[in-house]
Structures are given as C-alpha cells and as structure tokens.
Amino acid sequence: MTLLQLAYFVALADVRNFTRAAERCGVAQPTLSRQIQALEAELGAALVERGRSGARGELALTPAGEAVLPAARRMLADSEDARTAVAELIGLRSGRVRVGATPSLCLGLLADVLRLFHEQHPEIHLELSENGSQLLVRDLLRGELDVALVIVPPSGLDPALSIKPLLRERLSVASARADSTPNRRGSMTLAELSRHELVMFRQGYDLREVTLRAYRDAGLSPKFAVEGGEMDAVLRLVENDTGVAVVPDLVFAGRPRLRRTTLLPPLYRTVALAQRADVATTHAALAFHDMLLSYVRTMPAIGSVDADVTVLHRQ
C-alpha cells in the first residue's frame, strides 16, 4: 500500500468517476485504475462497485471502501503534516534572514538578539544591514531586507510596510566625562544645548533629523564641530571632547567615558519592527521576528544608565 494509491482512491471516492479522478490527479485513467486494483489486491477486497452506479451515473463504494476511506484520509493528512513539519525544520536549518537596523539599535538592542538567535539556529545565515531609517525603508520596499528596526517619523512610514511599534526611547545629550566620578544625570534645555558645538550624524540618520527639527521648532540655530559621522565615529569624537551629540539612552550602556544629560522638555523616538506587508514571511524570518519580540518583552532594566525606555509591545 502506498500513499499514492491512497490519494488515487480518495480522489475516486470524492468524484465517483474514474475519468474525473484521473484528471484531478493529473494521470491517465488506465494508470489510476491499475493503482486502485493494486490497492484492492493488497487489501484483499474490492473498494469500488464496478458493476453498478448511482442515479447520476456515479460509482459506489463497497462496504470495504467505505471502511477504508476515513483511514485513507487520515493517513494522507498525517503525511501532509509530516511534510510541513519537515519543511519548517529544514527552513530553520538552512534559511537566511536579512536584518536591517539603525546603528544605535545595533549597539543597544540588536546585538544581543542576533547572538541569541545564532545560538539557537546556528545554520541560518544572518545578514545585517546597518543604516539610517530612510535607507532601511528603501531596502525593505526593494525586497533587499526581510525585517528592519526603524524609527517611526512624525509623518509615519510607507503604507506598503507592516509596522509593529516596539519601544519608546528618550534621547539625551552625550558629552565627554573627563574625570573618574560616576556618570551623573543632569539636565539642560535646548537653548542651553545650542551653546555647545554638535558632533552631527550624516544625512539619512533619524537622529540628525530629530535634532535639527527640535532646533527649528525652538527657533534656534545649531553649531557644528563635525558633520557627517556614523554612530561609532560620533561617539568616539564625543568621548574625545570634540563636541556633544544627541543620542538614544540605550547607547550609554557600557560607555563609561560618556556623560548623559537629559533634555527639558524631553525628546523621544519610537522604534518599530517593519517588513513588507505584501510578502509572505519565511520560516527563518518568522523565527527571528518571534525571538526579537520575546526579547523586547523581557528586556532587563538598564539601571546603570537610568535609561528611559518604554516597551510598547507586550503581547
């Protein structure tokens, strides 16, 4: 007895006609008939009443056929479940996930998630794209990324994307801490900040846009020490006392050479998980998606830097 024979028999039971059953299965009628006969020979009983038909010319099943039919359906369903389980398992052993994130999120959040995901799924190939939110959205829409951690701008993101807000994070002023005292938290107004020279991120960084927008809204003009840096370069320049920068609270973790000063009134940004709304998620990408959400739901408090981070996704 083979699954193919059972599939032919179920098709015949559904349509009650050899010709239509053969068409449904995509085989010639003699082929289907031979396989049904072989199944009957193995079971030792006829499954179809070949000498008579119903009122509409449909074949009837024998009592043996009626008894076998439910078992045949279950066996085929179990076989499909097995194929699905194996396909998912293979997908998590040999898949690929293309992840994008802003540089600050790579430092403050994604590094731990990628480590945990690699430990659980070492055969999945991880590709990381580090860029500003605008370029990450572009790459998502082009199909060059599977998922991305992006910053939601005031105008919202492209409607072609599926968006899941994850965190609300405060932005603070980073400056050099030249002495050995603990990293104390102070505060300053935007007018006070405008008296300092900024180390400014390059075009395309949401941190650049939010900082300059805050200056414009307050009727202030920024002064720049250096423009055009990536996250690592900006933080290093701040540590060397070249200027100050507006950065997310999570960036201060593990950087004892930075002093954090909060802004009054405070500035916040919303971090979201984005992916194409019209593209089916692969098994590997879905596994990464689930791990990221699980990590965010259980994020430890970052008390060492007194970070102001609110988890938006708890379910």
Side-chain angles (χ1 to χ4, degrees), residues 1-313:
M1 182 189 309
T2 68
L3 290 173
L4 185 61
Q5 291 170 344
L6 292 176
Y8 289 169
F9 170 64
V10 168
L12 181 60
D14 287 341
V15 300
R16 303 299 173 106
N17 180 278
F18 277 96
T19 301
R20 292 199 300 271
E23 290 173 352
R24 172 183 284 196
C25 296
V27 298
Q29 179 179 331
T31 300
L32 183 136
S33 297
R34 285 195 298 271
Q35 291 297 326
I36 296 295
Q37 290 170 357
L39 178 60
E40 290 174 322
E42 182 166 347
L43 293 174
L47 303 178
V48 181
E49 295 280 4
R50 291 175 175 80
R52 56 178 247 214
S53 59
R56 292 181 297 175
E58 295 178 343
L59 291 173
L61 297 184
T62 65
E66 295 288 357
V68 168
L69 183 58
R73 292 192 190 279
R74 287 196 301 271
M75 293 173 70
L76 290 173
D78 290 344
S79 172
E80 185 59 33
D81 289 344
R83 287 194 192 95
T84 300
V86 170
E88 291 180 351
L89 185 60
I90 292 173
L92 294 181
R93 287 182 176 174
S94 60
R96 176 188 67 172
V97 184
R98 299 168 299 173
V99 183
T102 65
S104 61
L105 292 171
C106 286
L107 291 173
L109 171 62
L110 194 58
D112 285 338
V113 178
L114 290 174
R115 175 182 58 80
L116 292 170
F117 186 81
H118 179 66
E119 288 176 356
Q120 291 193 21
H121 308 291
E123 299 302 321
I124 292 181
H125 180 64
L126 288 169
E127 296 180 11
L128 176 62
S129 176
E130 186 176 355
N131 224 323
S133 290
Q134 296 175 19
L135 296 179
L136 293 173
V137 167
R138 179 203 65 187
D139 292 344
L140 277 172
L141 295 173
R142 289 179 176 177
E144 297 172 1
L145 292 174
D146 298 310
V147 296
L149 285 169
V150 298
I151 309 305
V152 180
S155 59
L157 290 168
D158 193 294
L161 297 177
S162 172
I163 305 299
K164 189 183 297 294
L166 299 181
L167 304 170
R168 189 187 76 150
E169 184 179 13
R170 182 171 56 192
L171 306 180
S172 298
V173 179
S175 58
R177 184 168 63 82
D179 55 45
S180 59
T181 59
N183 190 0
R184 299 187 300 272
R185 185 182 75 176
S187 61
M188 67 169 63
T189 65
L190 201 62
E192 291 171 324
L193 174 63
S194 69
R195 295 196 286 268
H196 297 268
E197 291 187 321
L198 294 172
V199 179
M200 180 52 67
F201 298 94
R202 65 169 173 80
Q203 294 282 349
Y205 269 50
D206 66 281
L207 292 169
R208 176 188 179 93
E209 302 306 321
V210 72
T211 302
L212 296 182
R213 184 168 56 249
Y215 270 79
R216 288 194 301 269
D217 292 346
L220 299 169
S221 298
K223 296 185 294 185
F224 300 113
V226 179
E227 279 193 86
E230 303 279 350
M231 177 61 71
D232 285 340
V234 167
L235 295 179
R236 182 62 60 87
L237 287 167
V238 171
E239 288 174 337
N240 292 339
D241 205 16
T242 305
V244 302
V246 177
V247 299
D249 275 6
L250 288 178
V251 165
F252 290 90
R255 289 189 175 266
R257 295 177 59 193
L258 291 179
R259 183 188 302 276
R260 185 171 67 89
T261 305
T262 59
L263 281 168
L264 295 175
L267 287 178
Y268 291 94
R269 69 177 188 173
T270 298
V271 178
L273 180 65
Q275 58 192 94
R276 284 265 299 274
D278 61 339
V279 175
T281 306
T282 65
H283 294 304
L286 183 59
F288 178 83
H289 174 280
D290 292 345
M291 176 169 287
L292 174 63
L293 296 185
S294 177
Y295 181 86
V296 167
R297 286 194 295 267
T298 59
M299 278 183 63
I302 310 177
S304 60
V305 295
D306 194 20
D308 185 351
V309 180
T310 302
V311 176
L312 302 178
H313 182 81

